[in-house]
Amino acid sequence: MIPTSVQPRLILASGSAYRRELLSRLRLPFEVMAPDIDESPLAGEAPEATALRLACAKARAVAERAPGSIVIGSDQVATLNGEPIGKPGTHAAALAQLQKMRGQRVVFHTALCVWDGRATALTGPAQLENVQVFATFRDLPDAELDAYLRIEQPYDCAGSAKNEGLGIALLSKIDSTDPTALTGLPLIALTGMLRKAGIQFFTN
């Protein structure tokens, strides 16, 4: 862990417990601030463009409240045949999502923004990346899908499946260069961005 005396202030611009847990794996000191932005997609906006725009908007909104900090913003949009799949919110909506996705390959666009608010930043204020995950769902009967939802209740997850939990049993295949992207924060991409911003790892 980098001593706090030399570590730039690092902030996660998110209210997500999943992203907080993922970032904590890097063993870097960080704070959490929930961004207050409108997350509605724009008319005619491609899903991946929505994810990138919102990741940047989240990071920038928090950076304006914490000048001189390095801020991490992320957003995820799931798509099936090019159509966005949001957070279901209810059991009925989640079941409908899983029924639609069974036997199908769903693309998860996880966008990442690292906003460097320091005046001396050499990388420019924002680094952006969209990490795609291709998740193939098993063709399971309604009874199993319903039982899964009642056990895990993943109503706050796009695609209604928590891959870090029991939801992994719904999937037959995951293809990605960054497996943590499916959970909501691509750590392989993030560590590369943080290194460009001058963050060091494995320092006593």
Side-chain angles (χ1 to χ4, degrees):
M1 183 181 295
I2 302 172
T4 55
S5 59
V6 298
Q7 165 76 349
R9 187 182 182 190
L10 185 64
I11 303 174
L12 176 63
S14 176
S16 167
Y18 310 115
R19 292 192 176 106
R20 181 184 301 190
E21 189 280 327
L22 284 167
L23 184 56
S24 70
R25 297 182 192 180
L26 301 183
R27 301 191 180 187
L28 297 170
F30 70 93
E31 304 168 42
V32 175
M33 290 187 188
D36 183 17
I37 66 166
D38 181 359
E39 298 189 32
S40 303
L42 302 177
E45 188 175 43
E48 57 269 34
T50 298
L52 284 166
R53 178 178 59 81
L54 292 179
C56 189
K58 291 175 182 179
R60 183 171 186 171
V62 169
E64 290 175 351
R65 291 153 48 192
S69 303
I70 295 177
V71 183
I72 301 165
S74 187
D75 192 77
Q76 185 180 77
V77 178
T79 60
L80 175 61
N81 298 323
E83 295 297 321
I85 301 170
K87 299 176 182 178
T90 67
H91 181 90
L95 181 58
Q97 279 190 352
L98 292 180
Q99 289 170 331
K100 188 175 183 179
M101 294 187 300
R102 60 183 162 198
Q104 302 291 316
R105 189 176 78 157
V106 177
V107 183
F108 290 81
H109 301 274
T110 306
L112 184 64
C113 176
V114 172
W115 189 283
D116 194 335
R118 298 171 298 177
T120 57
L122 299 178
T123 58
Q127 300 179 62
L128 282 170
E129 188 165 344
N130 176 36
V131 179
Q132 292 184 327
V133 178
F134 303 91
T136 303
F137 281 71
R138 297 182 186 276
D139 189 358
L140 300 176
D142 288 352
E144 288 195 39
L145 300 179
D146 183 76
Y148 161 72
L149 291 174
R150 294 188 185 280
I151 292 169
E152 196 151 64
Q153 302 182 14
Y155 308 133
D156 62 342
C157 296
S160 305
K162 292 182 180 180
N163 74 290
E164 70 277 18
L166 184 57
I168 197 69
L170 300 178
L171 304 177
S172 63
K173 188 177 182 181
I174 297 175
D175 291 311
S176 179
T177 59
D178 201 331
T180 52
L182 185 55
T183 309
L185 190 67
L187 293 183
I188 293 175
L190 177 60
T191 51
M193 290 178 168
L194 291 178
R195 286 180 185 277
K196 288 181 180 179
I199 299 294
Q200 300 178 46
F201 297 86
F202 317 120
T203 302
N204 294 326

